[in-house]
Amino acid sequence: MANYQKLTPPADGHPITIAGDRLHVPHDPIIPFIEGDGSGRDIWRASRRVFDGAVKKVYGGRRRVVWFEVFAGEKAVAKYGENVWLPEDTLTAIKEFIVAIKGPLTTPIGGGIRSLNVTLRQVLELYACVRPVRWFQGVPSPVKHPEKLNVIIVRENTEDVYAGIEWKAGTPEAAKIIEFIGKELGKKIRPDSGIGIKPISKTGTYRIVRKAIRWAIEKNLSSVTLVHKGNIMKFTEGAFREWGYECAAAEFADKTVTEDELWSKYNGKAPAGKIIIKDRIADSMFQQVLLRPDEYQVLCTPNLNGDYLSDACAAQVGGLGMAPGANISDFFAVFEATHGTAPKYADQDVINPGSLILSGAMMFDYLGWTEVAEAIHRGIAGAIAAKRVTYDLHRQMEGATKLKTSEFAEEIIRHM
Ligand code: NAP
């Protein structure tokens, strides 16, 4: 067992392990959780009730989750001391137990402390940000047919302009880069420019595209679309497109066809069991999700495009406050609420726990406990259809009943 400074893993329960290229999940997996700051406390309490309720409903006593609290954010500072926002213990626990779930965390401002979420992603090499976007009947949406959008966005998490390689205008570093590019490479940059570097590698692209195609195979989805701006940024986004097709051909030749082949060889009709690999320029993709949403299943994107697209898609189904997400490496996975700590609602039992609950459903799906994920989806769909919802949905729905966070959790369990 790993060494911990201030934590003791539960004595009952067993760790999830890696067996070959799969996870081995015991009947009583130990799952570390980070409660989250602010209204994270309300959300976690409600979510845990829903998770335990769903597991019990589906498996009786045959399976159960053994929760293991680990710390980050304000609670970590209280337990581990000033400025310890992300203790080593927490990273050790996620590495030992592989799958974890977290509520929203306060991002400390100033003091040179990096975002906890970014640190978690980098330390655990969680290179894929996965966001499923679907509509639940009854949720107010700005479009006529929100039900037509049902996509999984698989976004690269470590590269692109988000790599953090940048220099402020007027600094000696920026001046040095500008001079180097001018003298050595003959390209002119205004001297008062800030500089950011946009690296996109073949390694990073292959592994995210591989993840997206595997996702499509496992979930029986019919297409993977590479979303890029390669017409302008040829050697980064354009390369993402090229390497994406290359990866599909090299590693999934028996499972995929390109959209071009679909027309040149198969008369526009995909052969049974084959996934269509297509690509769209990012700006066109934003039109497509509005105009022809049902033609897309998995969207695989570099970091920045994925950031924009996930929020735009979530807004389209009316579910910004309910959008689930996960950051995943080859095996490690951290499931999380995608909104912040909404501090003004902390400890009032009013906030919508939907984002964390749906992230939990993703987690059960990841563990292979798909029946639990389905029960949670049924529960949420039922509560919303009955118009018994938290304040955020209540203010947009006519004739709805406003519930507290805890009551909404009960309502979800009732509808499972
Ligand atoms: P926020 O916490 O997401 O809240 C902004 C507003 O969004 C809330 O006032 C509320 O709107 C609505 N909202 C968010 N979550 C909701 C929920 N579950 N149910 C209903 N409404 C919800 O964003 P913020 O105020 O910009 O950030 C607050 C703190 O969270 C900051 O410290 C930030 O760094 C951190 N943060 C953490 C994460 C993370 O850990 N993943 C992500 C983003 C931000 P109304 O007021 O209209 O009701």
Side-chain angles (χ1 to χ4, degrees), residues 113-130:
I113 299 163
R114 284 153 72 212
S115 152
L116 304 183
N117 295 313
V118 172
T119 310
L120 266 176
R121 276 172 219 167
Q122 288 180 347
V123 174
L124 299 168
E125 194 68 30
L126 305 172
Y127 61 82
C129 175
V130 181

Side-chain angles (χ1 to χ4, degrees), residues 237-251:
E237 305 246 340
F240 180 86
R241 171 187 180 275
E242 261 169 50
W243 289 324
Y245 279 117
E246 208 179 277
C247 170
E251 299 183 12

Side-chain angles (χ1 to χ4, degrees), residues 360-383:
M362 276 180 88
M363 179 186 79
F364 286 114
D365 205 33
Y366 190 74
L367 300 181
W369 296 14
T370 42
E371 306 90 336
V372 177
E374 285 161 11
I376 293 173
H377 279 255
R378 257 197 320 276
I380 292 215

Side-chain angles (χ1 to χ4, degrees), residues 5-7 34-37 41 69-90 105-111 113-114 116:
Q5 193 198 346
K6 291 195 177 197
L7 294 179
I34 296 167
E35 180 183 75
D37 297 323
R41 292 185 283 277
E69 180 162 22
V70 301
F71 301 87
E74 291 162 7
K75 235 177 159 177
V77 171
K79 192 174 172 78
Y80 288 83
E82 212 181 321
N83 278 338
V84 190
W85 290 82
L86 185 60
E88 202 53 43
D89 270 1
T90 300
L105 295 172
T106 305
T107 303
I109 297 171
I113 299 163
R114 284 153 72 212
L116 304 183

Side-chain angles (χ1 to χ4, degrees), residues 36-37 39 43 74 102-109 115-117 121 131 320-322 327 336-345 350-356 390-393 395:
D37 297 323
S39 52
I43 290 172
E74 291 162 7
K102 67 175 271 295
L105 295 172
T106 305
T107 303
I109 297 171
S115 152
L116 304 183
N117 295 313
R121 276 172 219 167
R131 297 261 187 107
L320 257 182
M322 287 197 14
N327 291 301
E336 66 174 2
T338 57
H339 55 74
T341 58
K344 68 180 175 189
Y345 298 118
V350 296
I351 201 92
N352 185 347
S355 174
L356 191 60
T390 45
Y391 84 90
D392 53 314
L393 294 176
R395 71 185 165 193

